[in-house]
Amino acid sequence: MAASIPKAWLEALSRERSASWFTELCTFVEGERARGPVYPPEVDVFAALEHTPLDDVKVILVGQDPYHGPGQAEGLAFSVRQGIRPPPSLVNMFKELAADIGCPAPTSGSLVPWAKQGVLLLNTVLTVREGEANSHKGKGWEKLTDAIIRTASERCAPSVFVLWGAHAKKKKSLVDASRHRVLEGVHPSPLSAHTGFFGSRPYSKINDLLTQMGRPPVEWTLP
């Protein structure tokens, strides 16, 4: 796998980068790409780390794995490329964004503007086979992304960890809750959004927590 961990994270993840399981993971992903489409493109696998350097992190929003449709995934949890129709979970996020803080509907589903403000949009698995959700689960990505979450907990200034749904909530044990704030909630998926995501006002809550910790709030409005 030619894609490499961005320099701003490399030192913190050097032990993981040199581990035998990481080499095996890279070999697996390379083999998958040789057999057929894998998303996101190789250049975007570590886009979340590229857009949000370790020293800039103030919010960590944990997703599961990339979108598996052509042209969708851009290496950020929940985000899709400009020009791509937002998937249902992202549509629900935008609905709650409007209800929570009055943001107008964005013209793009790309969340890069959030990432550039310090919102680490981290999937726990960073690649996926076309058309097969969770197809790269259990191949090693979780070891790396757990290390990323732990590193953010250990090294970052007080931050907000956002855990939506049962999968993300399992990562709570990786976070030092004495230093950071953990915001747990319902996943925005159509299967669950009506059971507590809608009306939860996560965006204003995140900003309130950041302000309490002396950190600047996120400007959630998207283009």
Side-chain angles (χ1 to χ4, degrees), residues 5-178:
I5 296 171
K7 189 177 297 185
W9 285 86
L10 190 57
E11 181 273 328
L13 300 172
S14 59
R15 184 171 63 180
E16 286 74 22
R17 177 65 181 81
S18 60
S20 59
W21 60 260
F22 187 82
T23 302
E24 292 167 4
L25 169 63
C26 292
T27 300
F28 166 77
V29 175
E30 287 171 358
E32 288 284 277
R33 290 194 189 278
R35 282 187 283 273
V38 168
Y39 303 124
E42 191 168 38
V43 69
D44 292 327
V45 169
F46 296 112
L49 304 185
E50 192 70 53
H51 287 301
T52 313
L54 180 58
D55 290 343
D56 295 347
V57 172
K58 61 184 179 185
V59 177
I60 300 88
L61 177 53
V62 179
Q64 193 159 348
D65 70 335
Y67 296 121
H68 52 78
Q72 290 182 309
E74 63 175 353
L76 305 174
F78 297 104
S79 182
V80 292
R81 297 181 183 282
Q82 291 192 14
I84 298 294
R85 183 178 179 180
S89 291
L90 186 55
V91 169
N92 288 340
M93 289 171 63
F94 289 159
K95 287 180 180 178
E96 182 60 21
L97 185 61
D100 184 0
I101 54 180
C103 289
T107 58
S108 169
S110 176
L111 305 181
V112 169
W114 293 358
K116 289 187 176 296
Q117 294 181 70
V119 181
L120 180 62
L121 298 162
L122 181 69
N123 281 317
T124 56
V125 173
L126 300 187
T127 56
V128 68
R129 193 180 304 136
E130 182 180 56
E132 297 183 44
N134 291 317
S135 51
H136 289 183
K137 179 181 178 181
K139 302 299 183 180
W141 281 126
E142 295 90 343
K143 294 179 182 179
L144 180 66
T145 53
D146 280 2
I148 291 169
I149 295 171
R150 279 194 302 268
T151 296
S153 176
E154 292 167 0
R155 299 200 183 193
C156 292
S159 303
V160 181
F161 288 76
V162 184
L163 310 177
W164 289 338
H167 175 82
K169 290 175 183 177
K170 293 177 182 177
K171 306 302 179 181
K172 186 176 181 179
S173 63
L174 303 174
V175 181
D176 180 356
S178 69

